[in-house]
């Protein structure tokens, strides 16, 4: 008698049968995994929403084709979410994590509570779209979440060894120039195609702040990396912690200012919220942060320039890969424009400082 093997059920790169067996072992619900569907967003990592035993879950793992460090990134994100429990930083609550890549074939993953909210890069509810005052409050709540992150005692929450704060600021310029050199090693990227690189690098190296307080940083803090609540103008969760480390939290504030209302680049950083207008100025956002923080903002321009420099080089990598046939040309061209605008913004700050 011939038996037919049950077909493997895979949704968005996740083996649901393997997931079910692991959840049984962890005591996470019972019965089949239902309503599994991908969650969209600006990340390459896989996000899957599903229901089991009447409870909703979000699974997050690395991309379908894992990069060498993908599982380590997932493990770091898991650690951050666990550490944030009990703080006033809005975040998705961690349910459970699996660091054994054999469970889902090759990928570490974690489960978290779904967040009831919207990403203003992708969606703007009618109330916010039609009310400038509400959009201003959304923007200020974004800064409130950043200020809360800046107040986290990373040692007290168990993240003392999560990064290397000693020499963090001193390393930044050389670290990202090194990244730019990796772009130049690609066969289609023959010369640096963003402006002012040497000038900005020299300015940063000559003015590194020497007195700063280490803390937990998000590493990519802009308006597309938060979920806003639907009922009140407040942040429901800061998301995408893959670049988090221990460093200088003022770099997150610099990142926010660097990406705020950047000409020609709303898709990357605020999307529909930016296009709707009526938002606070960068100076107003900084004042909101200052009112909630004891950090010295004297050298904030340095952090903004560093954010432009670092992020511009990261985005230029997509352009370099596109020229080498390793990424879609339309994405490479768009991100090259954004990288150029970031370096232009940095140069404008340099001129003002001079």
């Amino acid at each position: 008698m011939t038996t037919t093997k049950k077909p493997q059920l895979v949704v968005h790169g996740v083996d649901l049968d393997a997931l079910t067996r692991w959840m049984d072992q962890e005591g996470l619900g019972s019965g089949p995994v239902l309503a599994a569907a991908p969650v969209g967003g600006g990340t390459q990592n896989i996000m899957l929403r599903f229901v089991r035993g009447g409870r909703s879950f979000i699974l997050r793992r690395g991309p379908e084709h894992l990069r060498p460090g993908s599982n380590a990134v997932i493990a770091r994100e898991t650690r951050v979410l666990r550490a944030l429990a009990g703080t006033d930083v809005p975040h998705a609550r961690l349910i459970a994590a699996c660091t054994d890549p054999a469970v889902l074939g090759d990928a570490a993953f974690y489960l978290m509570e779904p967040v009831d909210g919207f990403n203003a890069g992708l969606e703007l509810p009618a109330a916010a779209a039609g009310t400038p005052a509400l959009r201003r409050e959304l923007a200020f709540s974004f800064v409130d979440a950043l200020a809360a992150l800046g107040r986290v005692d990373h040692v007290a929450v168990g993240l003392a060894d999560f990064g290397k704060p000693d020499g963090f600021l001193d390393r930044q310029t050389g670290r990202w120039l090194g990244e730019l050199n990796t772009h130049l090693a690609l066969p289609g990227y023959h010369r640096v195609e963003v402006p002012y690189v040497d000038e900005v690098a020299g300015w940063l190296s000559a003015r590194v702040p020497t007195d700063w307080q280490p803390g937990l940083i998000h590493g990519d803090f802009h308006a597309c990396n938060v979920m806003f609540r639907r009922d009140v103008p407040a942040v429901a969760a800061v998301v995408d912690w893959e670049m988090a480390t221990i460093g200088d939290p003022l770099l997150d504030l610099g990142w926010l200012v660097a990406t705020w209302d950047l000409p020609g680049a709303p898709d990357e950083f605020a999307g529909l919220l930016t296009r709707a207008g009526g938002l606070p100025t960068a100076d107003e956002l900084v004042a909101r942060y200052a009112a909630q923080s004891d950090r010295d903002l004297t050298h904030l321009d340095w952090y903004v320039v560093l954010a432009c420099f670092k992020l511009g080089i990261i985005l230029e990598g997509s352009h370099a890969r596109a020229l080498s046939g390793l990424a879609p040309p339309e994405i490479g061209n768009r991100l090259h424009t954004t990288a150029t605008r970031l370096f232009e913004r940095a140069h404008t700050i340099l001129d003002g400082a001079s």
Side-chain angles (χ1 to χ4, degrees), residues 9-263:
L9 181 57
V10 177
V11 176
H12 201 39
V14 176
D15 181 342
L16 298 188
D17 290 334
L19 175 61
T20 300
R21 291 191 295 271
W22 177 81
M23 292 183 72
D24 284 343
Q25 295 171 5
E26 298 293 315
L28 295 171
S30 61
V33 169
L34 303 174
V39 178
T43 177
Q44 296 184 54
N45 290 325
I46 287 174
M47 302 263 286
L48 188 74
R49 180 188 296 270
F50 64 92
V51 176
R52 190 181 195 218
R55 182 182 185 183
S56 295
F57 299 83
I58 298 288
L59 179 148
R60 182 169 166 94
R61 52 150 286 177
E64 182 176 359
H65 302 290
L66 292 176
R67 296 181 289 271
S70 292
N71 285 341
V73 167
I74 291 297
R76 286 178 65 82
E77 288 187 13
T78 300
R79 192 173 170 194
V80 169
L81 292 178
R82 185 175 289 118
L84 289 176
T87 72
D88 59 356
V89 178
H91 64 283
R93 192 173 76 82
L94 179 69
I95 298 173
C98 178
T99 57
D100 180 0
V103 172
L104 288 187
D106 58 358
F109 64 93
Y110 61 86
L111 302 180
M112 57 185 167
E113 297 280 5
V115 175
D116 183 13
F118 66 94
N119 182 322
L122 304 173
E123 177 190 356
L124 200 60
T131 312
L134 182 55
R135 295 195 296 275
R136 282 179 60 84
E137 288 306 309
L138 287 173
F140 283 134
S141 75
F142 178 44
V143 178
D144 296 344
L146 180 57
L149 178 59
R151 292 191 297 269
V152 170
D153 183 335
H154 65 285
V155 176
V157 300
L159 295 177
D161 61 345
F162 191 67
K164 299 177 181 178
D166 290 346
F168 175 78
L169 295 183
D170 299 281
R171 293 193 299 269
Q172 293 302 304
T173 304
R175 160 72 178 86
W176 294 104
L177 282 176
E179 182 72 12
L180 187 58
N181 285 333
T182 67
H183 303 345
L184 290 168
L186 293 170
Y189 193 69
H190 304 299
R191 62 182 178 82
V192 175
E193 296 191 10
V194 287
Y196 309 122
V197 169
D198 292 338
E199 188 174 349
V200 172
W203 188 90
L204 287 168
S205 296
R207 293 167 173 80
V208 180
T210 57
D211 185 17
W212 57 278
Q213 307 169 48
L216 176 63
I217 66 173
H218 180 274
D220 193 17
F221 199 87
H222 57 77
C224 283
N225 276 343
V226 299
M227 301 288 290
F228 291 103
R229 290 176 54 171
R230 296 183 181 278
D231 55 344
V232 294
V235 172
V238 181
V239 299
D240 287 356
W241 293 91
E242 58 193 89
M243 293 176 66
T245 190
I246 303 303
D248 188 338
L250 289 184
L251 180 54
D252 276 342
L253 180 58
W255 205 273
L256 168 58
V257 174
T259 57
W260 193 251
D261 198 19
L262 186 69

